[in-house]
Amino acid sequence: MAKNIQAVRGMKDYLPVDTAIWQCIENTLKQILNSYGYSEIRLPIVEHTSLFSRAIGEVTDVVEKEMYSFKDRNGESLTLRPEGTAGCVRAAIEHGILLNQEQRFWYIGPMFRYERPQKGRYRQFHQIGVEIFGLQGPGIDAELIMLTARWWKALGITEYLDLELNSIGSLETRTKYRSELVSFLEKHQNLLDIDCKRRMYTNPLRILDSKNPDIQKLLKNMPTLNEFLDTDSREHFNNLCSLLDDMNIKYHVNNNLVRGLDYYNRTVFEWVTTKLGSQHTICGGGRYDGLVKQLGGRTTYSIGFAMGLERLVLLIKIIKPNINLISNIDIYFIILNQKMQSIAIQLVEKLRDAEPTLKLIVNLEGGKLKKQFSNANKYGARIVLILGENEIKKEQILIKNMLTGFQQTVNQRDLLTNLRILL
Ligand code: ATP
Ligand code: MG
């Protein structure tokens, strides 16, 4: 027998038990984004490969190892987007919507990275993110952090998330620090692992982020990036911290936080949890004031973040293990044979006109009454409507209240009035 075709490794199906929770979470998040005056932007899933190598950086993990790139039929190299910022900046430049304007965007959708699949890490995953253009001061940095804090509050998970904050300064700061770091690492070559040795001359700042405890120990003897910060970046960071203090938002300054993508400068932040093992970052972001220019636009202050929805859902399920948001059906409509299909459909369409939020399923196939009742129970229907030969003849319909067992036969034209009493 032919082997069944299965989903691609690391790419999950989301069945109704999942999508009910997802929809509920997404609605909460979107409502808060809209309440800050941010607008949705929808962007293609496929972009030119060069966009990501230019924006994210040639020697980052994402570009070096994680991209799904392919040649299309024209021989052009395209890539399934691994993140949303590059595409958003590309689009904003392309449509000329950044010149002397502020823009506040949010997006939601699938991202693709060729990583080793494990809990909280998939090859197709979903992010909801924000990109803001044209605002220079630390006020917007604080606003983004407050918005995310509001998300956690609305979802009831505040106590499970900690905010890590850092400033990585200007490009010049990093260049200065980078040469200092390389000379320090050169002196301790014998203590470096293969990954660090490879990164030492390509992307040494990422070594700060290393998960290897020996490397972290070694780095304790190294001056931190913070000591090299330029005055403007330091002032920006201090002002951000005092805004967060005023807003009563707790944070932990982590001088080793550098983030995985090259485009960041000044503020970087991550919301982390101890509940998801090594996939502990739920949400990460920061400033990227140089990216618009780097991609061909005019210099534009920019900041954004992205949150991984799979990790958020996992966290919520760990905290609330009994969560089950599949909402029940209100009415299940039983017909005794297919001749009644047309009348049943006409009746329920009228109900849908009158009560648009009602959840209503019609059994379109007819069949045994017992089977149909068990279906109604499976859907958790509160009310069952039954159309049999007798009811059709007299233009009546039977209403059964599944909670009390009470049933009554009413005229079809009085159906809505009678249902309203029950609902
Ligand atoms: P990590 O260090 O866990 O690989 P990252 O720094 O690569 O994360 P970002 O590029 O900052 O992640 O993406 C923002 C968020 O998107 C992450 O905090 C995480 O919640 C989510 N995310 C990133 N990669 C994956 C993935 N492969 N599967 C599921 N979620 C992911
Ligand atoms: Mg990663």
Side-chain angles (χ1 to χ4, degrees):
M1 211 166 65
K3 209 173 147 205
N4 285 349
I5 297 174
Q6 301 204 315
V8 175
R9 186 163 132 85
M11 306 209 178
K12 293 205 303 170
D13 300 308
Y14 297 83
L15 303 178
V17 278
D18 302 312
T19 55
I21 296 175
W22 279 66
Q23 279 186 12
C24 177
I25 293 174
E26 282 174 13
N27 289 341
T28 306
L29 303 178
K30 286 179 192 173
Q31 189 267 322
I32 291 174
L33 288 166
N34 291 331
S35 81
Y36 278 73
Y38 301 177
S39 315
E40 186 184 11
I41 186 164
R42 295 194 189 187
L43 302 159
I45 285 172
V46 178
E47 297 273 0
H48 292 289
T49 303
S50 52
L51 173 68
F52 300 113
S53 34
R54 258 171 80 182
I56 299 172
E58 288 283 1
V59 288
T60 54
D61 276 356
V62 171
V63 173
E64 267 185 342
K65 306 190 279 204
E66 297 173 1
M67 292 207 303
Y68 274 94
S69 299
F70 59 96
K71 292 247 160 55
D72 73 359
R73 287 173 191 274
N74 226 359
E76 232 176 313
S77 180
L78 303 179
T79 294
L80 302 185
R81 61 182 186 192
E83 54 96 60
T85 306
C88 186
V89 171
R90 193 264 315 135
I93 297 172
E94 193 169 322
H95 297 283
I97 50 178
L98 294 181
L99 300 176
N100 308 317
Q101 298 179 59
E102 295 173 14
Q103 295 290 356
R104 295 163 159 86
F105 297 126
W106 63 264
Y107 59 84
I108 185 167
M111 306 292 161
F112 302 83
R113 296 186 194 178
Y114 192 83
E115 300 197 72
R116 192 171 70 77
Q118 53 199 290
K119 191 172 130 204
R121 193 176 293 285
Y122 311 99
R123 291 182 175 176
Q124 175 174 332
F125 61 100
H126 298 78
Q127 286 184 338
I128 187 161
V130 161
E131 314 293 347
I132 310 279
F133 300 98
L135 295 173
Q136 180 180 9
I140 189 66
D141 310 30
E143 183 175 291
L144 291 195
I145 289 170
M146 273 159 47
L147 181 148
T148 46
R150 187 176 287 275
W151 273 357
W152 319 141
K153 195 170 158 210
L155 296 169
I157 55 173
T158 302
E159 61 185 297
Y160 305 96
L161 286 166
D162 293 311
L163 176 61
E164 306 250 302
L165 196 61
N166 193 21
S167 175
I168 56 173
S170 62
L171 197 61
E172 297 80 64
T173 307
R174 287 213 300 283
T175 315
K176 250 197 303 177
Y177 182 67
R178 188 186 150 119
S179 56
E180 196 76 13
L181 181 63
V182 172
S183 56
F184 173 85
L185 295 170
E186 275 172 340
K187 278 189 223 129
H188 299 91
Q189 290 235 25
N190 53 329
L191 300 173
L192 299 182
D193 60 19
I194 298 175
D195 236 19
C196 293
K197 279 189 183 140
R198 186 171 57 85
R199 288 225 168 97
M200 194 158 81
Y201 299 107
T202 56
N203 197 357
L205 285 186
R206 280 310 304 278
I207 295 177
L208 299 181
D209 219 22
S210 166
K211 307 229 156 69
N212 180 340
D214 295 335
I215 303 292
Q216 282 305 333
K217 212 160 105 197
L218 173 68
L219 290 173
K220 292 228 161 69
N221 307 315
M222 162 73 207
T224 64
L225 182 65
N226 184 43
E227 293 160 46
F228 289 73
L229 278 195
D230 51 289
T231 344
D232 288 348
S233 295
R234 188 177 298 283
E235 194 186 317
H236 186 101
F237 191 65
N238 290 342
N239 288 338
L240 169 61
C241 291
S242 78
L243 279 171
L244 294 177
D245 293 337
D246 293 346
M247 248 83 72
N248 221 354
I249 291 182
K250 309 257 168 315
Y251 53 87
H252 165 237
V253 177
N254 173 357
N255 287 136
N256 287 339
L257 181 67
V258 288
R259 311 267 309 122
L261 318 176
D262 269 3
Y263 48 61
Y264 289 108
N265 69 300
R266 289 199 176 169
T267 313
V268 289
F269 68 91
E270 283 187 358
W271 285 99
V272 298
T273 177
T274 51
K275 299 259 169 202
L276 292 181
S278 53
Q279 275 59 256
H280 58 267
T281 309
I282 297 276
C283 173
R287 282 207 161 256
Y288 52 92
D289 297 321
L291 185 59
V292 175
K293 179 136 192 268
Q294 197 183 312
L295 292 180
R298 296 228 196 109
T299 304
T300 307
Y301 296 106
S302 318
I303 182 167
F305 68 80
M307 186 191 49
L309 281 159
E310 279 77 3
R311 290 187 196 176
L312 179 68
V313 173
L314 273 173
L315 179 64
I316 290 176
K317 281 186 175 165
I318 290 173
I319 295 165
K320 305 174 184 172
N322 297 322
I323 192 164
N324 175 11
L325 297 168
I326 291 206
S327 56
N328 293 337
I329 289 296
D330 297 303
I331 299 176
Y332 191 87
F333 200 138
I334 290 177
I335 57 173
L336 289 187
N337 66 50
Q338 276 195 309
K339 281 190 296 194
M340 296 150 186
Q341 204 182 51
S342 171
I343 297 178
I345 292 174
Q346 289 175 53
L347 280 171
V348 295
E349 286 302 306
K350 272 194 206 136
L351 291 180
R352 288 188 177 116
D353 286 340
E355 294 287 336
T357 57
L358 219 55
K359 289 196 186 165
L360 218 146
I361 287 184
V362 193
N363 183 314
L364 296 167
E365 310 275 304
K368 290 218 173 70
L369 197 59
K370 200 169 154 202
K371 171 92 191 306
Q372 295 200 52
F373 263 108
S374 97
N375 262 349
N377 276 327
K378 243 191 270 164
Y379 283 111
R382 285 194 286 153
I383 291 168
V384 168
L385 299 179
I386 305 169
L387 210 47
E389 298 284 359
N390 265 340
E391 284 81 12
I392 294 268
K393 258 187 246 149
K394 297 186 193 160
E395 288 192 23
Q396 290 181 326
I397 186 159
L398 189 121
I399 306 176
K400 176 162 183 170
N401 182 337
M402 297 293 275
L403 300 175
T404 61
F406 178 74
Q407 57 183 54
Q408 56 181 334
T409 306
V410 302
N411 287 329
Q412 287 174 12
R413 62 171 184 281
D414 300 330
L415 176 60
L416 184 61
T417 324
N418 281 283
L419 283 176
R420 279 190 174 140
I421 297 167
L422 292 176
L423 288 164

